[in-house]
Amino acid sequence: MTGRDCDETVLAESANQRRMRRYRLAGKFVSRARDFICRLDGDAPLENIMPADPVETAPKTMQIWVDADACPNVVKQILFHAAERWQVNIILVANRLLSTPPSRYVKAVQVPAGFDVADNEIVRRLQPGDLVITGDIPLASDVLQKDGHALNPRGSFYTNDNIREYMSMRQFMDELRSSGVETGGPAAFSNADRQAFANQLDKFLMKAL
């Protein structure tokens, strides 16, 4: 064996020794970690604590809830188009049977008739970050309290900054009607309202999705 061959053999043995030493250290670390975790969990089997194959959890996607009993049909059509364009789930909640397009992203939920039944169902199923389409101010307030977003069919967002003003105005109008004052109904839904709603919806979805 030449001197060069001898040097290469020594280097190979040294590398093997270093590798084996790392393996032994790693084995001791895993063993100690196993014992520590088992003690924390009351001597439970390690496989029940640390699965061999980690399970990936799909990120939650926001949904759009529609207070559909009073929602204008033109707004529903905008939402149906947005559902396909953005591939976002839209759930219409009403106390009557609704007709919806054949879409995997559009669903309808019928609830029993009754005061605020549809509103309560939306609030119950709402998740933080979801969007609710409604002109009902008390419902919008409940949505904000659950960290959701509320958009009026005329294209105005209810926010934590303006919801009290909306609530105060609603109470004032109720008091006028109770005293016999004729306040009239809301203005007719216009093309400007339709465009404002479509624009606000698109801006919201661009940020949320």
Side-chain angles (χ1 to χ4, degrees), residues 4-23:
R4 180 178 180 181
D5 292 337
C6 183
D7 291 341
E8 291 178 351
T9 301
V10 171
L11 290 175
E13 289 177 352
S14 298
N16 289 334
Q17 290 173 354
R18 288 194 298 271
R19 189 179 299 111
M20 292 303 297
R21 185 161 54 251
R22 287 197 297 268
Y23 288 161

Side-chain angles (χ1 to χ4, degrees), residues 90-94 96-100 106-110 125:
I90 294 180
I91 305 97
L92 295 92
V93 183
R96 57 189 172 85
L97 186 63
L98 296 174
S99 176
T100 59
V106 180
K107 300 176 183 178
V109 174
Q110 184 178 6
R125 299 175 63 173

Side-chain angles (χ1 to χ4, degrees), residues 156-196:
S156 298
F157 270 100
Y158 300 101
T159 68
N160 290 318
D161 294 329
N162 65 26
I163 192 63
R164 289 185 179 180
E165 182 178 351
Y166 276 108
M167 292 289 286
S168 297
M169 180 58 68
R170 178 180 182 273
Q171 183 177 356
F172 176 68
M173 297 300 290
D174 286 345
E175 291 174 354
L176 288 179
R177 285 188 287 269
S178 297
S179 64
V181 176
E182 182 62 41
T183 60
F189 195 84
S190 66
N191 286 333
D193 294 329
R194 177 188 63 80
Q195 190 62 51

Side-chain angles (χ1 to χ4, degrees), residues 60-73:
K60 293 182 178 180
T61 303
M62 61 82 59
Q63 300 186 106
I64 299 177
W65 300 88
V66 185
D67 183 12
D69 282 318
C71 185
N73 286 329

